[in-house]
Structures are given as structure tokens and as C-alpha cells.
């Protein structure tokens, strides 16, 4: 499963230039490895990588690494393809990348192991040259993540609503389907700290911020990539949420979307074109593929929706349990209706 994006070929001439926040996820087959996710930031200029900082969770082994001189890369070819070498201390890894636009790359590891792929987004820091600040997180956001559960035999997906005060405090409420068991939190209150390079850490004086607070790297205000320190190696994205209040009319028209990630081989992949009508009714189809079955052109299994004022919504026929969050009038995330109450839940990202 993955995404198909339209290239801007005019960006090829400029190549890589500036600071990039990155997100990679995959598998480390070594004896001590497993699911492996990293988020971080680096600078690309003059065919040289520098100022790299990253946080990784490899099968619950969590690390933070810094490398001032982080490697080299080539110019891109006529297809937007380039290669590079990332250096971290005495270790190095080869990558291949494709330029999507002046601000986005798709990247894959070019070594045998670990097998990783992901996205690099050029950062948009506040004007003035001082980098990101506490005010870079302010207002409403939505987080969404995928990970493992039950020792790697099942999956977990989560969505969070968050609000930051622009100074130091963030309130987070999460909704999670962990191996078929729905969990809804109270509101966590976290203290956040933003570094100039966009790295964000969360903390609290007790357990008010949860047991394994995630680390963010910002691509811009209220947006970026996430990895947490849990055994499931949950990872994903954060995005700014449109100001509410929301209602059923907040989403209307044609949306298309699919899986964020398949974290277990036995899990299913799917894509869906759906049409919420702005009055609480869904219409659409599902195309699903797994190791055990394939459904092409089946009816979208959610018949209706009810959106709350904070953007969370439930779907029929699953009652009042939160199943999705509206990010804007053109985007929402939701638990896949076809995998609810199963050990292999999946997360859908739907966009106009």
C-alpha cells in the first residue's frame, strides 16, 4: 500500500536545498530488531547533508542521534531520482530518493537491511531566522498513528485531538483501536518544549502526559511527524485542525483515500472513494485485499455518520463510539469500518 503523487518536474533543477523533516518506517530483521520507525531533521545544501538529529524506535529500543556531518547526495536525474549516503558516527546507509516537488521527497533505503521507506518534507520555519519556537504549536491539531499490538501479531491505530496554548501547555485526548479493543482516554496535560530545529518533546510532573510521550519533528506550524517510545512502535503525523465547531455539514462531496500503513503482513490493504452528503449519510465503495480475501467494488460498510462539535465523529451501525476526526472540510481520518472489532484494525486518511 502507498500513495501516488503528481511530480512537479520544474523542481528537479533546484534539487535538494534547505532543512527537511523526515519520517521513515520499516523492518529491522536483526536478532534484536523488529518494527523500526524514525523521525528527524537534516539540512541539505551543496550535495552535503548536515545537522542531522533523529529519534528512532527499533523494536522498543529508543535512541536519539545527532550528526553534524551527515553525508552526501547526488544531483537528480531527468526522472527526479537521486541517491545519497547518510552517515551516523561510524555507520552509514545508502538511500534513493525521488523529488515530488520543491518541498517533498519520497525516500527508500538502498541497503539490504534495515528495510525503510518514507517521506522528507521541507520545513517552513517562522520568519526571522531563529527557527521554531514555542508559538509554533498553537491551537487545535489532529494526530494519527499506526503500530503493533499483542507482541507483533496484531495492529493498533490511534487518533488524537490536541490543543496547544502557544507557550508550553498541550492538552491531548486519544481514541485508539488496539487489536480490536476500543480505548478512549481522558485529557492528558503535557508540557511541550520546541527546539529551534523543530524537535518537540513532551513531559509532565507525574503521569499526566502518559507513560511514553511521543517526540515530534515539525515541518511547519502545528504540522510534522511523530514517533513514540511504546513497544508497538507507533508512528504517524500531526496536522493543524480547522477551527470548529464542526457538524455533519463539515464534510460533503467526493473524498478518496486509503490506508496509512500496513503494519502486519496478515493485515488488509484498502482504498475507498466515499461521498458524505453533509447530512450524516455515507455512500461509496471499498476495494480490499489481504492474504485471505479480496473484495472489489463492495459497498462502503459505514452507512452514516454523526459529527461532534470538536470534529470527532461516530459511524453507523457502530453506535456512538468515536470512529474518526475531521481535520478540515477537505480531509478526515477514521478507523476502517471493515476492520473494527478485529485484531488487525487499520486507519484511513480521506481527502478531497
Amino acid at each position: 500500500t502507498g500513495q501516488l503523487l503528481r511530480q512537479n518536474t520544474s523542481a528537479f533543477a533546484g534539487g535538494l536545498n534547505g532543512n527537511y523533516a523526515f519520517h521513515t518506517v520499516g523492518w529491522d530483521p536483526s536478532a534484536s530488531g523488529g518494527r523500526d520507525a524514525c523521525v528527524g531533521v537534516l539540512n541539505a545544501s551543496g550535495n552535503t547533508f548536515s545537522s542531522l538529529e533523529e529519534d528512532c524506535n527499533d523494536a522498543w529500543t529508543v535512541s536519539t542521534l545527532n550528526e553534524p556531518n551527515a553525508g552526501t547526495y547526488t544531483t537528480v536525474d531527468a526522472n527526479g531520482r537521486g541517491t545519497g549516503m547518510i552517515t551516523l558516527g561510524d555507520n552509514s546507509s545508502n538511500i534513493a530518493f525521488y523529488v515530488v516537488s520543491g518541498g517533498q521527497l519520497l525516500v527508500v533505503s538502498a541497503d539490504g537491511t534495515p528495510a525503510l521507506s518514507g517521506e522528507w518534507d521541507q520545513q517552513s520555519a517562522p520568519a526571522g531566522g531563529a527557527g521554531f519556537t514555542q508559538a509554533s504549536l498553537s491551537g487545535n491539531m489532529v494526530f494519527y498513528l499506526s503500530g503493533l499490538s499483542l507482541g507483533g501479531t496484531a495492529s493498533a491505530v490511534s487518533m488524537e485531538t490536541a490543543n496547544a496554548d502557544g507557550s508550553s501547555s498541550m492538552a491531548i485526548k486519544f481514541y485508539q483501536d488496539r487489536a480490536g479493543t476500543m480505548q478512549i482516554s481522558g485529557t492528558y496535560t503535557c508540557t511541550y518544549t520546541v527546539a529551534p530545529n523543530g524537535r518537540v518533546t513532551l513531559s509532565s510532573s507525574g503521569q499526566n502526559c502518559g507513560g511514553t510521550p511521543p517526540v515530534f519533528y515539525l515541518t511547519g506550524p502545528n504540522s510534522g511527524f511523530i514517533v513514540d517510545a511504546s513497544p508497538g512502535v507507533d508512528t504517524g503525523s500531526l496536522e493543524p485542525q480547522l477551527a470548529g465547531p464542526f457538524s455533519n455539514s463539515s464534510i460533503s462531496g467526493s473524498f478518496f483515500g486509503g490506508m496509512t500503513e500496513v503494519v502486519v503482513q496478515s493485515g488488509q490493504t484498502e482504498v475507498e472513494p466515499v461521498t458524505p452528503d453533509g447530512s450524516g449519510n455515507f455512500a461509496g465503495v471499498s476495494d480490499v485485499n489481504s492474504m485471505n480475501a479480496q473484495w472489489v467494488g463492495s459497498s462502503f460498510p459505514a452507512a452514516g455518520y454523526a459529527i461532534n462539535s470538536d470534529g470527532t465523529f461516530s459511524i453507523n451501525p457502530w453506535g456512538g463510539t468515536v470512529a474518526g476526526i475531521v481535520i478540515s472540510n477537505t480531509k478526515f481520518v477514521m478507523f476502517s469500518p471493515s476492520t473494527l472489532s478485529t485484531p488487525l484494525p487499520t486507519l484511513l486518511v480521506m481527502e478531497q
Side-chain angles (χ1 to χ4, degrees):
T1 184
Q3 55 184 331
L4 179 67
L5 302 172
R6 184 175 181 177
Q7 274 187 316
N8 179 0
T9 57
S10 65
F12 297 172
L16 278 63
N17 186 38
N19 294 324
Y20 293 84
F22 60 82
H23 175 218
T24 58
V25 62
W27 193 261
D28 176 3
S30 67
S32 60
R35 177 170 164 82
D36 190 356
C38 295
V39 295
V41 65
L42 54 70
N43 176 269
S45 179
N47 298 107
T48 300
F49 294 129
S50 62
S51 303
L52 184 150
E53 183 172 13
E54 69 174 10
D55 287 78
C56 297
N57 185 345
D58 184 354
W60 206 15
T61 298
V62 180
S63 62
T64 302
L65 299 173
N66 293 272
E67 181 57 61
N69 303 305
T72 59
Y73 61 94
T74 67
T75 55
V76 301
D77 64 16
N79 295 313
R81 181 183 185 272
T83 61
M85 177 179 289
I86 303 292
T87 302
L88 286 168
D90 295 330
N91 299 314
S92 61
S93 58
N94 294 293
I95 61 169
F97 59 86
Y98 283 84
V99 173
V100 178
S101 67
Q104 185 181 36
L105 314 173
L106 298 181
V107 181
V108 65
S109 59
D111 298 318
T113 59
L116 300 168
S117 64
E119 178 179 336
W120 293 14
D121 286 357
Q122 193 169 51
Q123 288 182 314
S124 178
F132 292 95
T133 68
Q134 297 295 105
S136 298
L137 292 174
S138 180
N140 294 336
M141 291 161 276
V142 174
F143 310 160
Y144 49 95
L145 303 92
S146 300
L148 295 173
S149 187
L150 301 181
T153 62
S155 59
V157 289
S158 66
M159 306 172 292
E160 290 80 24
T161 56
N163 180 273
D165 66 359
S167 176
S168 63
S169 181
M170 180 182 296
I172 303 171
K173 186 170 184 177
F174 78 80
Y175 307 87
Q176 184 177 67
D177 185 346
R178 184 163 289 277
T181 300
M182 299 297 295
Q183 302 175 11
I184 300 175
S185 78
T187 299
Y188 288 127
T189 302
C190 305
T191 299
Y192 70 88
T193 303
V194 181
N197 68 352
R199 183 177 187 263
V200 180
T201 55
L202 303 179
S203 62
S204 66
S205 56
Q207 290 293 314
N208 296 332
C209 196
T212 57
V215 174
F216 313 154
Y217 280 86
L218 299 180
T219 56
N222 288 356
S223 61
F225 302 122
I226 309 171
V227 69
D228 74 6
S230 71
V233 193
D234 292 17
T235 187
S237 300
L238 68 146
E239 297 189 24
Q241 186 186 37
L242 186 73
F246 296 92
S247 67
N248 285 351
S249 63
S250 297
I251 53 173
S252 178
S254 298
F255 287 76
F256 182 83
M259 305 276 302
T260 54
E261 183 192 357
V262 178
V263 300
V264 180
Q265 187 176 10
S266 53
Q268 71 180 38
T269 61
E270 58 184 293
V271 292
E272 279 98 355
V274 298
T275 306
D277 66 359
S279 298
N281 303 298
F282 269 130
V285 297
S286 293
D287 292 288
V288 176
N289 191 24
S290 72
M291 295 175 63
N292 302 314
Q294 184 179 58
W295 307 292
V296 177
S298 301
S299 295
F300 188 63
Y305 63 92
I307 299 178
N308 303 311
S309 61
D310 65 352
T312 60
F313 63 87
S314 57
I315 56 176
N316 293 328
W318 284 276
T321 301
V322 168
I325 303 175
V326 176
I327 296 175
S328 69
N329 299 119
T330 61
K331 187 171 187 178
F332 61 91
V333 294
M334 66 183 299
F335 301 139
S336 170
S338 65
T339 60
L340 284 171
S341 302
T342 76
L344 299 167
T346 54
L347 190 68
L348 302 177
V349 179
M350 311 297 290
E351 295 187 75
Q352 280 192 329

